Amino acid sequence: MKKIYTRPASLKEAHFHYCPGCGHGIINRLIAEVIDEMGLRGKAICVAPAGCGMLVYNYFDIDTLESAHGRGAAVATGIKRVRPDNLVFSYQGDGDLAAIGTAEGFHAANRGELITVIFVNNGVYGMTGGQMAPTTLKEQITTTTPSGRNPVSAGHPVRVCEVFSVLDGTSYLERVAVNSPSGIKKTKKAIAKAFQHQINRTGFSLVEILSPCPTNWKMSPIESFRWIDEVMTKQFPLGVIKEVKC
Amino acid sequence: MKRLMSGNAALGEAAILSGCTCYFGYPITPQNELTEYMAKRMPESGGVFIQSESEIAAINMVLGASVAGARAMTSSSSPGMSLKQEGISYLAADELPAVIVNMVRGGPGMGNISPAQSDYLQATRGGGHGDYRTIVLAPSSVQELVDIVPLAFDLADAYRNPVIILGDGMLGQMMEPVDFSDIKKPKDYPKDYILTGAENRPSRMVRSLLFDTKEEEEHNWKLYRKFQRIEANEVRCETFMTDDAEIVVVAYGIAARIAKGAIKRLRQENIKAGLLRPITLWPFPSKNIVELARYVNDFFVFEMSTGQMIEDVKLALSGRGHVNFYGRPGGVIPTPIELARIVSRHYYQTQKVKRQ
Amino acid sequence: MITVKIDDERCKGCSLCVEFCPKGALSISDRLNMKGYFVVSFADEKECTGCATCALICPDVAIEVFKN
């Protein structure tokens, strides 16, 4: 029996707790595949966030630390400075990175810390039940924007890659989406490239991944996939935002 | 060989000699000299120095460095310490060693940059969430500050718990001759929990999220048993002229030095005063106070605050003897004469009552 | 011949694999797993070309594809 596709070795046996159709599951698998293919299992250290992504230490069969909400980039800085030869990445959601953890992410990027941030942008706070996130779109309804996000009172959706792109310490910023087979393949390449930038010490790398959240968007999985294409990517255009020579 | 150094700078040198290889700090008076000293000396000694974007980032960098196996330290002053409380709770929950320095200044709020002791409860009761304790060490001279730094790192490693060095603006900024020769090369502590990459071993996780309440409860009792061991083994205090004392001043840190001056004056007026100086604020020297209470009836708690340690003194005595208080909050620095006069006035008033 | 192995207990019936399978070889069955989801079933071996899009799209890594 020749294997065409099997579970990546760097994934533990535990079942994912994610909701049906959630993008975290795809992203976790892609990270594990990249770690396998780049032979990084003995080198990788993951910093897990607070939020839906916090249970990655039950899924990644690599050394993982859970950090306080929003502090992942600072914790990863501490780890990487002590262990420069390890592959250190911080897995963060939009609330974790673009709200409470803005300063930590911004300054880690500005210092050009040789870490990678895997930034899962699903437009809401998932684990706590679907509240507005910094990346919630205009007029998007969430449990804390019941009549739609009004920029006058609740601000505008923030484009993290673009913001970080003007920080000289950043070397690779790409926005991808896991809402289609081609998008998933691009996401995997982006993660691999980000890790390669870290290994080549070019600077701070971040992959922003638009990810479906059917439960809190109140859509079916396939509708949430379409919503990303038809609506989300208008505010968050896909593509390489910044890349220095690797 | 003695060197004239400020407390802040001496503390930095002592940390490096104690094997500290990572320092993360943020500017805040009155502890800047420590951050500045580390900015120069840490890279020289091959270590890591980062001026972080906030005290919150600094304490989390300490957490990262600690879980990666390094001896890590951060320092701040009162308002900055408030920002670090969440991180300290995580360090305690994750059972990670770390040394955190607080050069206390006048508070609350913006307060001022003058020395004070108004963070006692934050340090000893824990300003963060959850059942946890931090070992709190309170030096009262620059030399003792230097001696306490290696102890702080050893206790942090031995018990895998954050340790707070509670100084104040005066201790940090005043200069005294210091000698570093007693600092020995740090002992090796087991580091089977650190994250290094799962190379030829099973992967490890360090986390404090325990959804299962029974697991979280057991984790709490496990930490509790650790704190009991610390309380049993790590109490440190100094007594000064207490053998024949009729009245004992209880004071720590800079206030204890002021108290010693006052006690010498009182002794000249034939008032038998003595001093009990806690060095570990947690674990608090309760037994030592109870022992003094066997023959001393009058206790005088003296703090540069509106009175916080007094609670622990009362707890220790649980109703025995009289506990009086004299304090000056807000960064005011009382003088020995001032305290001597307060104590002697109290002494004569209570004597008059006894004679009637 | 292609074997598409589906781990019923991991499947959450999100039906993304059904949507994206170019040959329509997958469908949601009426079988429930322990979590109470209707699990997907690999109905039509003939059509399957082994492209593994189903495994690629599955958010729960419930699908493995083999060729024998």
Side-chain angles (χ1 to χ4, degrees):
Chain A
M1 284 259 268
K2 201 166 80 46
K3 124 179 126 84
I4 296 177
Y5 182 81
T6 55
R7 287 178 65 82
S10 296
L11 267 190
K12 291 180 183 165
E13 279 311 306
H15 287 209
F16 286 156
H17 74 289
Y18 304 120
C19 307
C22 168
H24 276 295
I26 300 171
I27 296 163
N28 287 189
R29 189 195 76 225
L30 293 178
I31 290 172
E33 285 173 11
V34 167
I35 285 174
D36 283 356
E37 284 153 28
M38 293 175 77
L40 291 169
R41 225 183 119 243
K43 285 253 171 295
I45 299 177
C46 172
V47 178
C52 289
M54 75 193 304
L55 295 181
V56 285
Y57 47 71
N58 288 336
Y59 308 134
F60 290 153
D61 196 7
I62 61 174
D63 278 5
T64 303
L65 167 82
E66 169 198 276
S67 93
H69 189 36
R71 314 307 176 202
V75 172
T77 296
I79 295 173
K80 183 71 177 186
R81 290 297 186 105
V82 172
R83 300 199 164 274
D85 299 331
N86 281 81
L87 187 279
V88 181
F89 67 95
S90 177
Y91 190 100
Q92 297 184 256
D94 33 38
D96 200 273
L97 178 69
I100 188 170
T102 306
E104 286 80 358
F106 183 91
H107 282 281
N110 193 52
R111 288 190 304 268
E113 295 294 341
L114 299 175
I115 60 174
T116 302
V117 171
I118 305 293
F119 168 40
V120 180
N121 174 0
N122 60 12
V124 286
Y125 281 73
M127 176 174 253
T128 44
Q131 294 79 13
M132 179 188 84
T135 49
T136 295
L137 303 179
K138 272 180 251 172
E139 281 105 40
Q140 183 178 346
I141 290 175
T142 71
T143 57
T144 48
T145 56
S147 45
R149 180 178 190 178
N150 172 1
V152 171
S153 55
H156 301 263
V158 63
R159 286 186 286 272
V160 169
C161 279
E162 287 77 352
V163 171
F164 279 22
S165 66
V166 295
L167 300 174
D168 297 336
T170 55
S171 62
Y172 173 66
L173 305 165
E174 179 166 4
R175 180 179 295 117
V176 288
V178 283
N179 65 330
S180 66
S182 64
I184 289 171
K185 287 175 185 156
K186 284 203 190 87
T187 300
K188 181 173 177 175
K189 278 205 200 73
I191 293 169
K193 194 184 282 185
F195 284 173
Q196 196 55 54
H197 269 277
Q198 177 175 156
I199 292 163
N200 295 359
R201 314 175 69 79
T202 61
F204 175 90
S205 50
L206 177 143
V207 179
E208 176 176 346
I209 307 171
L210 303 189
S211 172
C213 178
T215 299
N216 289 306
W217 294 358
K218 304 209 176 342
M219 299 174 194
S220 72
I222 192 62
E223 282 163 353
S224 60
F225 270 40
R226 286 194 203 102
W227 193 73
I228 289 177
D229 275 337
E230 288 151 12
V231 180
M232 214 176 170
T233 46
K234 302 293 177 293
Q235 172 70 22
F236 301 110
L238 304 182
V240 175
I241 314 293
K242 177 177 181 181
E243 183 173 10
V244 305
K245 212 174 66 49
C246 182
Chain B
M1 200 270 292
K2 291 213 179 227
R3 289 165 56 185
L4 186 65
M5 290 177 85
S6 73
N8 284 327
L11 197 158
E13 187 58 28
I16 291 175
L17 294 173
S18 306
C20 173
T21 56
C22 293
Y23 173 85
F24 311 101
Y26 186 82
I28 183 167
T29 305
Q31 61 83 56
N32 294 314
E33 296 80 2
L34 172 50
T35 307
E36 289 156 1
Y37 188 85
M38 288 305 219
K40 182 172 157 306
R41 278 287 289 135
M42 196 49 102
E44 278 172 14
S45 61
V48 173
F49 168 84
I50 296 182
Q51 180 181 316
S52 61
E53 60 272 22
S54 74
E55 290 91 346
I56 297 172
I59 190 73
N60 280 285
M61 291 176 189
V62 163
L63 194 145
S66 176
V67 86
R71 277 192 157 183
M73 179 169 95
T74 183
S75 64
S76 188
S77 173
S78 308
M81 277 302 281
S82 296
L83 293 179
K84 291 184 192 291
Q85 296 305 315
E86 177 199 52
I88 292 172
S89 171
Y90 274 76
L91 282 163
D94 288 343
E95 297 197 82
L96 291 174
V99 172
I100 303 113
V101 179
N102 180 4
M103 293 302 181
V104 182
R105 71 186 221 177
M110 191 61 78
N112 57 35
I113 57 170
S114 187
Q117 298 187 319
S118 32
D119 298 357
Y120 177 93
L121 289 176
Q122 178 193 61
T124 58
R125 296 308 189 274
H129 56 287
D131 283 310
Y132 73 94
R133 309 308 292 260
T134 47
I135 296 171
V136 183
L137 302 168
S140 70
S141 71
V142 176
Q143 183 60 55
E144 188 178 24
L145 188 58
V146 163
D147 301 336
I148 241 168
V149 168
L151 172 64
F153 278 105
D154 286 340
L155 289 174
D157 266 326
Y159 292 98
R160 283 178 56 184
N161 202 71
V163 171
I164 291 176
I165 296 177
L166 199 67
D168 60 77
M170 182 189 291
L171 196 59
Q173 292 183 325
M174 74 185 183
M175 298 181 83
E176 285 184 310
V178 283
D179 174 359
F180 295 97
S181 52
D182 292 345
I183 301 182
K184 287 178 275 323
K185 209 175 99 30
K187 185 159 71 102
D188 286 334
Y189 288 86
K191 294 282 177 182
D192 51 1
Y193 58 88
I194 63 173
L195 302 186
T196 58
E199 188 88 48
N200 316 321
R201 65 162 170 74
S203 58
R204 293 177 188 148
M205 69 170 88
V206 174
R207 58 148 165 60
S208 50
L209 172 70
L210 296 169
F211 268 126
D212 180 328
T213 49
K214 288 187 296 309
E215 268 180 50
E216 181 67 76
E217 177 181 32
E218 183 36 44
H219 183 58
N220 269 272
W221 289 125
K222 176 192 173 199
L223 295 177
Y224 183 79
R225 286 189 291 273
K226 177 198 301 192
F227 300 137
Q228 282 183 312
R229 282 204 319 279
I230 295 172
E231 279 177 321
N233 307 317
E234 305 302 341
V235 172
R236 287 164 174 79
C237 66
E238 177 206 359
T239 54
F240 172 73
M241 299 178 125
T242 52
D243 298 345
D244 63 345
E246 285 176 81
I247 186 164
V248 167
V249 177
V250 184
Y252 68 93
I254 263 322
R257 286 184 74 164
I258 296 167
K260 275 186 182 171
I263 287 163
K264 286 175 190 155
R265 285 177 198 287
L266 291 164
R267 287 281 174 167
Q268 283 159 8
E269 297 173 32
N270 297 324
I271 296 176
K272 294 196 177 73
L275 168 75
L276 174 79
R277 178 172 75 90
I279 297 169
T280 54
L281 302 184
W282 192 83
F284 189 71
S286 305
K287 288 200 186 68
N288 308 72
I289 289 185
V290 168
E291 221 163 289
L292 287 174
R294 286 210 326 271
Y295 60 92
V296 174
N297 204 339
D298 231 350
F299 290 90
F300 222 104
V301 178
F302 170 51
E303 296 176 71
M304 287 158 62
S305 70
T306 54
Q308 297 186 18
M309 180 176 66
I310 187 168
E311 294 183 11
D312 281 336
V313 174
K314 284 183 173 170
L315 273 175
L317 290 170
S318 53
R320 258 181 306 239
H322 294 291
V323 181
N324 311 286
F325 173 72
Y326 183 66
R328 299 291 298 275
V332 165
I333 304 167
T335 61
I337 299 171
E338 177 184 348
L339 178 63
R341 223 179 261 128
I342 297 288
V343 173
S344 61
R345 192 180 65 208
H346 161 78
Y347 179 80
Y348 289 118
Q349 277 169 351
T350 47
Q351 288 307 61
K352 209 165 76 198
V353 165
K354 273 197 207 110
R355 273 202 303 281
Q356 275 161 351
Chain C
M1 231 285 279
I2 307 294
T3 317
V4 173
K5 206 155 111 327
I6 293 164
D7 181 335
D8 284 353
E9 288 315 314
R10 287 184 190 278
C11 174
K12 291 176 183 157
C14 76
S15 73
L16 285 169
C17 55
V18 175
E19 291 284 340
F20 281 95
C21 172
K23 297 294 181 187
L26 294 159
S27 60
I28 296 294
S29 71
D30 53 12
R31 288 197 326 281
L32 285 172
N33 68 10
M34 290 289 286
K35 293 184 190 124
Y37 291 112
F38 288 106
V39 297
V40 72
S41 77
F42 177 49
D44 213 333
E45 288 91 353
K46 299 199 288 324
E47 295 297 322
C48 173
T49 64
C51 73
T53 298
C54 50
L56 184 71
I57 208 81
C58 175
D60 282 279
V61 207
I63 302 176
E64 293 190 318
V65 181
F66 301 90
K67 181 183 221 158
N68 39 22

